[in-house]
Amino acid sequence: MSLAVRQPSSSTPRRAAPAGATSGFSFSVGMLDLGMLVVAFGVAHALRFPWEVSGLAAGPGWTEVVTAPAIMLLWMLLLSGFRTRDPRIAGIGSEEYRRLVTASLVAGATVAVVAYAARIDIARGYVAIALPLGLVLLALGRKGVRTVLAHRRALGQQLLDVLLVGDLDDVRYVGRRIAATPAAGYRVAAVVSDCAEVGTGVDLGTAEAEVVGGIDDVLDVASDTGVAAVVVAGSVRGGHERLRRLGWQLEERGVELVVSSPLADIAAGRVHERPVDGLPLMHVETPDYRCRRGKRLLDVVGATAGLVVLAPLLAAIALVIRLDDGGPVFFRQRRVGRGSQEFSILKFRTMCVDAEARIAELAAENEGSGPLFKLQRDPRVTRVGAFLRRTSLDELPQLWNVLTGSMSLVGPRPALPSEVAVYEDFADRRLLVTPGMTGLWQVSGRSDLDWAEGVRLDLHYVENWSFLHDLVILARTIPSVLRSRGAY
């Protein structure tokens, strides 16, 4: 989590983020928004007044000539007023969508109030179609913009160069998060730290940056490198007063100040700001680990429906496995669930019957990290098993685990006892909730992730659980399975 400290407008232009590029982006998104609204109102008109579209009526009426353009104009003004096209929120996070929904709801409420107060006769069915459809199309348009931005930023385009400031441990942590998330739009150009000599390389995971000075050199370095922002990772020498003065001095140079919060992997919904005499204190809500009835209801309904609908497919897979090598259909393995309770996870068998006994002979070829044993080309996997793993069909029997309560549709990855035995640094918090068939680890790369990254994602899920988050993960699971990324 990072806090962007917006500076008052300055006469000095930002060399790394020219005003023309910013205004050009906002204009392009604005034209897309307008196009989406025109489509929405056009569809609403066609559905509500089909006789006019077919030419059976004599010319457009009041609704078409005045009401629709007025509503679209109001909507566009509100989208601008709520700063939904701000490049700083484009491409990542939920703030863009939150502003989009807020502006759209205000537009709908304004239309309703004005129509009632002025006694304007607006066809309710027309507005009832146009407003929701407009919101959906606007959201789809922004999703398209995000997809294009993410692709370009992954290629190193449209990134803002930033200067990373702080102790090396904080710099490495924040820098790796930035390097791993190009969709955020940042690129670390250089590092300023008192903890290393000038010229020292700092490993940021998928990138590397060089230390170019100490804390006292921040202003000179920012001016020389032409960065768009200075990112403060952790604390700086001089405390709050030094940080406040730094913000003023950067303002004079047209450079933004971004402060990284020490609250790592905490969702914004759990953080509430409480101003105390000008000091913004962040209140972090305690996670709720109690029984979640809505989640359990979703599990039971989803697992029951899945087992019933997929019964023919499950039977066909079982028959193919049996005919392939004559071995057992299912594979059972002990896993650790909620509250450290062990249970037997159920899967379709994808390996030869003596797979467990052959681990020792393959130990030298292990490609997994931590306590996990992984081989991308595991010789123990059968022909049928390779297909089942690539399509994730081998995990369908876990619907029975979900139905019986040992697993959930969404949750942390079910841990092996050998993993739990080496847990450290609060990793056992994964066991506070029921493990899931899918989760953040599933939609983020599965076996392509190292063990430490998988643990981090699971902890993020545990700390920030919400019913809506579960639905989002379920929706993301389908394209993730179709891509087969990390499935081996």
Side-chain angles (χ1 to χ4, degrees), residues 57 126 150-151 177 181 210 226 241 271 298 300 313 315-316 337 343 346 387 432 446:
Y126 176 74
H151 177 70
R177 299 276 73 80
T181 317
E210 184 178 305
E241 185 64 27
V271 180
L298 176 64
V300 172
L313 176 61
F343 68 96
L346 192 63
F387 173 77
L432 290 172
R446 301 173 68 181

Side-chain angles (χ1 to χ4, degrees), residues 233-254:
S235 60
V236 295
R237 177 165 45 84
H240 295 84
E241 185 64 27
R242 175 71 177 275
L243 192 60
R244 184 172 65 161
R245 292 182 178 277
L246 178 61
W248 294 338
Q249 292 166 326
L250 289 173
E251 172 197 334
E252 297 173 354
R253 291 163 170 78

Side-chain angles (χ1 to χ4, degrees), residues 289 292 295 335-339 343 345 398 406-416 419 423 427-442 454-465 470 473:
Y289 303 118
R292 298 146 178 172
K295 181 178 177 67
R335 297 293 179 99
V336 183
R338 182 178 181 183
F343 68 96
I345 195 172
Q398 293 174 31
S406 57
M407 290 182 64
S408 176
L409 290 176
V410 184
R413 187 182 60 80
L416 292 164
E419 293 179 66
Y423 275 171
D428 57 351
R429 291 179 66 84
R430 297 170 71 193
L431 307 179
L432 290 172
V433 300
T434 307
M437 285 185 64
T438 186
L440 286 178
W441 50 274
Q442 170 84 296
V455 171
R456 187 187 72 82
L457 289 173
D458 283 342
L459 289 177
H460 179 87
Y461 173 84
V462 172
E463 295 296 319
N464 303 292
W465 175 86
D470 274 7
I473 292 175

Side-chain angles (χ1 to χ4, degrees), residues 143-283:
K143 176 61 177 177
V145 171
R146 286 191 171 209
T147 301
V148 173
L149 270 180
H151 177 70
R152 290 180 178 176
R153 288 171 174 175
L155 296 176
Q157 304 170 8
Q158 294 185 256
L159 297 175
L160 297 179
D161 288 329
V162 299
L163 188 65
L164 204 50
V165 180
D167 294 339
L168 283 186
D169 287 340
D170 293 329
V171 163
R172 288 193 189 97
Y173 183 83
V174 175
R176 286 171 181 171
R177 299 276 73 80
I178 291 176
T181 317
Y186 291 133
R187 174 173 52 206
V188 179
V191 171
V192 169
S193 177
D194 289 335
C195 301
E197 296 182 358
V198 174
T200 303
V202 180
D203 181 17
L204 303 180
T206 58
E208 183 172 307
E210 184 178 305
V211 177
V212 294
I215 302 298
D216 293 332
D217 305 320
V218 170
L219 297 175
D220 292 337
V221 172
S223 297
D224 293 341
T225 56
V227 295
V230 169
V231 179
V232 177
S235 60
V236 295
R237 177 165 45 84
H240 295 84
E241 185 64 27
R242 175 71 177 275
L243 192 60
R244 184 172 65 161
R245 292 182 178 277
L246 178 61
W248 294 338
Q249 292 166 326
L250 289 173
E251 172 197 334
E252 297 173 354
R253 291 163 170 78
V255 180
E256 270 194 347
L257 174 64
V258 180
V259 181
S260 171
S261 168
L263 300 173
D265 290 320
I266 300 294
R270 286 184 54 206
V271 180
H272 304 281
E273 184 178 303
R274 292 185 178 180
V276 178
D277 193 25
L279 178 66
L281 298 181
M282 290 184 291
H283 174 75

Side-chain angles (χ1 to χ4, degrees), residues 41 44-45 48-49 52 60-72 120-127 130:
F41 280 86
H45 176 79
R48 183 64 180 83
F49 307 109
E52 290 186 4
W62 167 265
T63 302
E64 295 76 32
V65 173
V66 178
T67 305
I71 295 176
M72 284 191 284
I120 301 174
D121 186 17
I122 302 177
R124 296 178 183 177
Y126 176 74
V127 176

